[in-house]
């Protein structure tokens, strides 16, 4: 049997120290032949291992080109991949431990090396290396198996993950879908209910809001409990016939009762469904109470507007008649002696005309067609004049008390508009005192705590009063606390608009059960009071000169005004149609001192005539006269371009004085 050959490479910087090593190893292990090669540098050792195979390397740590453990590190980084035994002059234990950690199989201290020790170390190193290599290969195979198994598990996990992800995605989509529908149902403005056998099974928050009950108190109740008594029988009959399978058309809208007894109007849309395996109805109810109330308010407002237009039209025609009656009665009155019995009758006619003129003024105020004519007025005088109209408006149980100051400063306002304010507030106070009470109207100068010069008008009643919530809404159009059909909600809104129109403010103080005070502040005026037009038979006559163009579509009015003007000495040219009036303005020879024109004439826009007159006859004074300002044009703006605006009916004497004042200034 041949010997086992072990190739050894000795890397020793001092070759003399181990020159006897071949002899020492020879015969040290029977059956083993040690083949030893020696080099003296680390570089040579690495080159030798590149060209030859060695079973073990003996490495000195004190080499010319490598010392200490650094030499081991460098050698381990070379191509040699086999066992290494360290030969070192140092016997420090930590160096041996570190050398083994860096890949050496053993650590021998020079001077302590014996043949048995060296032989045993060589065999140990080779065997250890072999075992480590087998372990390494086993570990690699194990790692390959683990990696393969890991890949299989990863593949299985990926499939499982995909299945889980798909399941989670489906569950997520289902949850998202459920959440979406829940959000839609919970945030829907429409009330949504499910009813089976007329019992409520499901409600959304809007249904809870509609009925005024929380969801837990709605479930299990019969929906008929919430139907208005006047609609209940019809709705229940529809449901009965529907459950019998009969074709039926459900009412589109009906009323439901809230928990507090309030009535709400709803529109119903129903879908037949299955709920818990039983036939049921999915109901969508839209609350359109506010819309219905608004529609009713619009209808009421349109009705009031129609009434107002009718009243304005009547007032217009009535004023024309009064103009004729007043004019001719004044003409006759001027022709009879003062002590004639006819004079007394004519005076009564004049008084009746005055009362009728007041009535038409009220009609125009009601219809909001009263021409706005700001004047410098004494507020006390306006209140005293309005008091005669207020007393019939109030019930006998309501006592009207005037507490007017000794002479407040003048204000700039339209007396008719102030009368409208007093009428509206008095009517409001009357309705707040169904059992009677006191209505006190007072005036004074100055508003405490407010800068500026003010005149204060206060209207105080002893009625039922109002809550703070009601007070916060009373000036809103269409807001009313009265029962349906008893109020339009426009009275106080009109008051607010009039007061603001004249630069004023309105304040409200009210306590439930303790009455209400409306305090109105008007800016005081330093201008002198507007002189009232004189009227009556005692008025001095006027002597007129020059041509007057008289335009009116009513023949009777045209004739009486012509008679009054001609009797006063004016040369009068009349026109009753648009073409005539424009023709006179553009073609008549000579000057026209004044044009007295009715505001409302069929087929003629007053603005068109005013423009033609100013263009053709810039020196002619323009006097507008009307008992109605309801045309489509902005008469108030046109009136600013006129020299004078008169209201029908006007007595002859007053008419002549106003014309004389205007043309006398030309």
């Amino acid at each position: 049997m041949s010997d086992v050959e072990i190739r050894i490479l000795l890397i020793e910087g001092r070759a003399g120290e181990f020159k006897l090593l071949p002899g020492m190893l020879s015969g040290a292990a029977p059956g083993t032949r040690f083949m030893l090669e020696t080099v003296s540098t680390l570089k040579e050792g690495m080159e030798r291992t590149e060209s030859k195979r060695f079973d073990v390397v003996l490495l000195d740590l004190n080499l010319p080109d490598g010392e200490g453990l650094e030499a081991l590190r460098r050698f381990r980084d070379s191509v040699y991949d086999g066992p290494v035994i360290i030969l070192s002059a140092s016997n420090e234990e930590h160096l041996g431990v570190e050398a083994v950690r860096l890949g050496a199989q053993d650590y021998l201290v020079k001077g302590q090396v014996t043949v048995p020790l060296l032989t045993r170390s060589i065999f140990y190193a080779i065997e250890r290396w072999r075992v480590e290599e087998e372990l390494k290969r086993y570990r690699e195979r194990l790692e390959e198996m683990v990696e393969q198994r890991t890949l299989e598990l990863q593949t299985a996990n990926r499939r499982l993950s995909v299945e889980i992800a798909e399941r989670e995605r489906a569950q997520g989509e289902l949850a998202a879908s459920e959440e979406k529908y829940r959000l839609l149902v919970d945030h829907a403005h429409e009330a949504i209910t499910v009813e089976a056998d007329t019992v409520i099974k499901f409600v959304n928050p809007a249904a809870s809001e509609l009925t005024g009950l929380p969801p837990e108190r709605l479930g299990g109740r019969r929906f008929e409990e919430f139907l208005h008594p006047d609609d209940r029988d019809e709705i229940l009959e529809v449901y009965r016939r529907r459950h019998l399978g009969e074709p039926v058309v459900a009412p589109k809208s009906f009323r439901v009762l809230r928990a507090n007894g309030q009535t709400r109007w709803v529109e119903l849309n129903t879908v037949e469904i299955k709920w818990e395996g039983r036939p049921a109805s999915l109901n969508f109810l839209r609350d359109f109470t506010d819309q219905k109330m608004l529609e009713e308010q619009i209808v009421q407002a349109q009705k009031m507007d129609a009434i107002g237009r009718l009243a304005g039209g009547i007032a217009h025609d009535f004023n024309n008649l009064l103009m004729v009656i007043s004019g001719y009665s004044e003409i006759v009155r001027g022709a009879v002696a003062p002590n004639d019995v006819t004079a007394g009758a004519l005076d009564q006619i004049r008084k009746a005309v005055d009362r009728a003129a007041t009535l038409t003024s009220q009609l125009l105020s009601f219809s909001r067609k009263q021409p706005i004519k700001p004047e410098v007025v004494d507020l006390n005088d306006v209140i005293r004049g309005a008091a005669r109209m207020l007393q019939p408006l109030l019930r006998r149980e309501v006592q009207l008390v005037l507490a007017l100051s000794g002479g407040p400063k003048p204000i700039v306002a339209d007396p008719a508009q102030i009368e409208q304010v007093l009428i509206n507030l008095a009517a409001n106070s009357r309705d707040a005192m169904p059992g009677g009470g006191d209505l006190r109207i007072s005036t004074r100068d100055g508003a405490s705590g407010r800068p500026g010069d003010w005149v204060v008008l206060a209207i105080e009643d002893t009625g039922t009063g109002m809550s703070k919530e009601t007070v916060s809404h009373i000036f809103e159009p269409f807001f009313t606390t009265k029962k349906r059909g008893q109020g339009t909600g426009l009275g106080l809104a009109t008051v607010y608009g009039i007061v603001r129109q004249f630069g004023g403010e309105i304040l409200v103080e009210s306590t439930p059960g303790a009455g209400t005070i409306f305090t109105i502040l008007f800016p005081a005026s330093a201008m002198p009071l507007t002189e009232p037009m004189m009227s009556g038979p005692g008025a001095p006559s006027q002597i007129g000169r020059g041509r007057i163009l008289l335009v009116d579509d009513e023949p009777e009015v045209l004739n009486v005004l012509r008679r009054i003007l001609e009797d006063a000495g004016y040369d009068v040219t009349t026109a009753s149609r648009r073409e005539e009036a424009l023709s006179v303005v553009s073609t008549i020879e000579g000057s026209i001192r004044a044009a007295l024109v009715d505001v409302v004439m069929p087929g003629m826009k007053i603005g068109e005539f005013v423009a033609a007159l100013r263009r053709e006859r810039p020196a002619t004074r323009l006097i507008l006269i009307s008992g109605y300002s309801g045309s489509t044009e902005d008469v108030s703006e046109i009136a600013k371009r006129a020299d004078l605006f008169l209201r029908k009916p006007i007595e002859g004497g007053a008419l002549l004085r106003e014309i004389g004042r205007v043309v006398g200034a030309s």
Side-chain angles (χ1 to χ4, degrees):
M1 183 177 180
S2 59
D3 294 338
V4 177
E5 187 178 86
I6 297 177
R7 294 179 175 275
I8 301 172
L9 174 64
L10 173 63
I11 307 174
E12 168 59 49
R14 298 176 182 178
E17 292 186 8
F18 289 94
K19 62 182 180 179
L20 299 178
L21 185 58
M24 293 171 61
L25 293 174
S26 176
T32 303
R33 186 160 57 93
F34 295 98
M35 305 296 293
L36 178 66
E37 295 185 25
T38 303
V39 296
S40 59
T41 65
L42 183 63
K43 180 179 179 183
E44 290 175 332
M46 290 189 291
E47 291 175 349
R48 189 70 57 87
T49 57
E50 287 180 359
S51 60
K52 287 188 177 183
R53 184 187 65 82
F54 293 94
D55 296 312
V56 65
V57 173
L58 303 178
L59 177 63
D60 183 14
L61 295 184
N62 188 18
L63 299 172
D65 56 350
E67 293 185 356
L69 295 177
E70 180 61 27
L72 175 60
R73 290 191 185 91
R74 290 173 58 192
F75 187 73
R76 271 302 182 198
D77 290 338
S78 68
V79 298
Y80 177 71
D81 185 17
V84 177
I85 298 173
I86 299 299
L87 299 175
S88 175
S90 175
N91 62 353
E92 295 182 14
E93 184 178 353
H94 74 277
L95 288 176
V97 173
E98 183 65 16
V100 172
R101 190 187 69 79
L102 291 175
Q105 270 60 50
D106 205 350
Y107 184 91
L108 300 178
V109 179
K110 294 179 180 180
Q112 300 178 5
V113 179
T114 64
V115 172
L117 176 63
L118 179 60
T119 304
R120 186 170 59 250
S121 178
I122 290 172
F123 283 118
Y124 170 75
I126 294 172
E127 181 63 20
R128 181 179 175 183
W129 179 260
R130 184 187 64 78
V131 172
E132 287 179 350
E133 285 297 301
E134 287 184 1
L135 288 175
K136 181 179 179 181
R137 287 191 296 273
Y138 178 76
R139 185 169 56 249
E140 289 175 352
R141 288 197 302 271
L142 183 61
E143 287 177 354
E144 289 177 0
M145 293 173 63
V146 170
E147 184 177 357
Q148 179 64 29
R149 184 58 180 162
T150 301
L151 290 175
E152 293 175 357
L153 290 175
Q154 287 176 344
T155 302
N157 285 338
R158 281 195 294 271
R159 288 198 300 267
L160 182 59
S161 297
V162 170
E163 292 177 3
I164 293 174
E166 183 65 23
R167 186 176 302 171
E168 289 178 347
R169 185 189 62 79
Q171 291 176 343
E173 289 180 353
L174 178 60
S177 178
E178 291 176 349
E179 177 68 10
K180 184 187 301 181
Y181 281 105
R182 186 188 67 79
L183 289 174
L184 289 174
V185 171
D186 286 353
H187 292 84
H189 293 297
E190 292 185 337
I192 301 175
T193 68
V194 175
E195 296 161 10
D197 299 326
T198 72
V199 175
I200 298 174
K201 300 294 184 180
F202 168 84
V203 296
N204 72 335
S208 180
E209 183 178 351
L210 175 65
T211 58
L213 290 175
E216 59 270 15
R217 292 184 58 189
L218 281 173
R221 299 183 67 167
R222 303 183 73 85
F223 82 94
E224 63 188 72
E225 299 177 35
F226 301 97
L227 296 176
H228 192 280
D230 294 344
D231 300 332
R232 185 174 297 141
D233 292 343
E234 181 183 5
I235 301 299
L236 291 179
E237 177 64 17
V238 168
Y239 269 82
R240 185 190 68 81
R241 294 178 59 188
R242 177 178 291 162
H243 283 297
L244 292 176
E246 300 178 11
V248 61
V249 178
K252 190 66 175 175
S253 62
F254 55 89
R255 289 162 289 182
V256 297
L257 294 176
R258 303 188 80 238
N260 60 3
Q262 184 184 24
T263 299
R264 306 295 294 180
W265 278 92
V266 297
E267 285 183 347
L268 172 67
N269 285 297
T270 299
V271 179
E272 297 300 321
I273 63 170
K274 289 285 186 179
W275 185 268
E276 297 175 348
R278 297 180 58 84
S281 60
L282 174 61
N283 303 314
F284 300 87
L285 299 101
R286 184 178 74 88
D287 185 344
F288 70 105
T289 306
D290 294 341
Q291 176 185 338
K292 188 171 183 64
M293 291 179 62
L294 180 60
E295 290 173 354
E296 290 178 352
Q297 290 168 355
I298 292 174
V299 170
Q300 180 68 11
Q302 290 173 340
K303 185 188 301 181
M304 296 300 295
D305 184 66
I307 294 173
R309 290 176 181 273
L310 176 62
I314 292 173
H316 171 257
D317 294 339
F318 200 48
N319 276 331
N320 281 334
L321 293 174
L322 292 178
M323 186 75 240
V324 175
I325 296 171
S326 174
Y328 280 118
S329 64
E330 191 170 354
I331 291 172
V332 176
R333 180 65 176 83
V336 300
N339 57 354
D340 193 307
V341 294
T342 307
L346 293 171
D347 289 341
Q348 292 301 317
I349 293 174
R350 181 178 56 81
K351 292 178 181 179
V353 168
D354 291 341
R355 290 195 297 272
T358 300
L359 175 61
T360 57
S361 178
Q362 294 178 34
L363 283 173
L364 288 170
S365 295
F366 168 78
S367 64
R368 300 188 300 279
K369 304 300 184 183
Q370 180 75 4
I372 298 175
K373 184 181 180 183
E375 301 176 5
V376 182
V377 298
D378 184 327
L379 184 58
N380 285 356
D381 289 344
V382 178
I383 294 172
R384 292 188 188 98
R388 292 191 296 271
M389 294 186 291
L390 294 180
Q391 196 61 61
L393 179 69
L394 305 174
R395 286 186 292 271
R396 293 182 180 180
E397 297 84 358
V398 178
Q399 180 67 33
L400 177 62
V401 179
L402 300 184
L404 309 181
S405 65
K409 296 178 181 178
I411 65 171
V412 178
D414 186 334
Q417 296 286 308
I418 301 302
E419 289 174 359
Q420 183 68 55
V421 168
L422 294 169
I423 290 171
N424 288 8
L425 292 178
N428 192 72
S429 295
R430 175 202 63 196
D431 294 339
M433 297 184 288
D438 294 335
L439 174 61
R440 186 174 185 270
I441 301 177
S442 61
T443 58
R444 69 177 188 275
D445 276 330
S448 59
R450 284 181 173 267
D453 203 1
W454 301 92
V455 177
V456 181
L457 166 63
I459 296 91
E460 180 178 359
D461 64 53
T462 57
T464 55
M466 296 177 287
S467 66
K468 290 183 178 179
E469 175 67 18
T470 300
V471 169
S472 67
H473 295 287
I474 57 174
F475 295 123
E476 297 176 4
F478 302 117
F479 178 81
T480 179
T481 58
K482 298 174 183 177
K483 294 181 180 179
R484 184 178 176 185
Q486 294 186 2
T488 64
L490 296 172
L492 294 180
T494 301
V495 169
Y496 179 84
I498 292 174
V499 172
R500 297 295 296 171
Q501 185 177 16
F502 295 115
E505 297 183 31
I506 183 166
L507 311 173
V508 187
E509 300 175 55
S510 188
T511 304
T516 301
I517 303 175
F518 287 91
T519 303
I520 302 175
L521 311 178
F522 289 108
S525 174
M527 295 186 294
L529 294 174
T530 301
E531 291 293 331
M533 291 187 298
M534 296 179 59
S535 62
S541 60
Q542 302 292 318
I543 299 176
R545 302 189 312 276
R547 185 185 301 278
I548 299 290
L549 172 59
L550 180 59
V551 183
D552 199 300
D553 64 309
E554 291 289 341
E556 296 83 359
V557 175
L558 201 64
N559 290 334
V560 71
L561 290 177
R562 178 174 185 169
R563 175 76 176 271
I564 293 171
L565 293 173
E566 287 179 342
D567 287 351
Y570 289 106
D571 182 12
V572 180
T573 299
T574 62
S576 60
R577 298 193 311 276
R578 168 184 177 277
E579 294 77 9
E580 288 183 275
L582 295 176
S583 176
V584 170
V585 169
S586 60
T587 62
I588 195 170
E589 296 182 359
S591 64
I592 301 176
R593 299 197 67 187
L596 181 61
V597 185
D598 187 12
V599 170
V600 180
M601 288 184 59
M604 184 176 78
K605 293 183 178 180
I606 188 63
E608 177 188 4
F609 178 81
V610 171
L613 181 68
R614 291 305 188 203
R615 183 177 61 254
E616 301 289 340
R617 307 274 180 168
T620 300
R621 296 296 185 179
L622 174 61
I623 303 171
L624 298 179
I625 183 169
S626 180
Y628 174 70
S629 63
S631 66
T632 57
E633 294 184 83
D634 190 349
V635 176
S636 298
E637 289 299 317
I638 295 174
K640 295 178 182 178
R641 295 156 60 189
D643 298 289
L644 182 63
F645 192 101
L646 300 175
R647 299 177 187 171
K648 294 179 183 178
I650 181 171
E651 294 184 348
L655 174 64
L656 293 175
R657 279 188 295 276
E658 290 299 307
I659 293 176
R661 181 173 61 83
V662 171
V663 300
S666 59

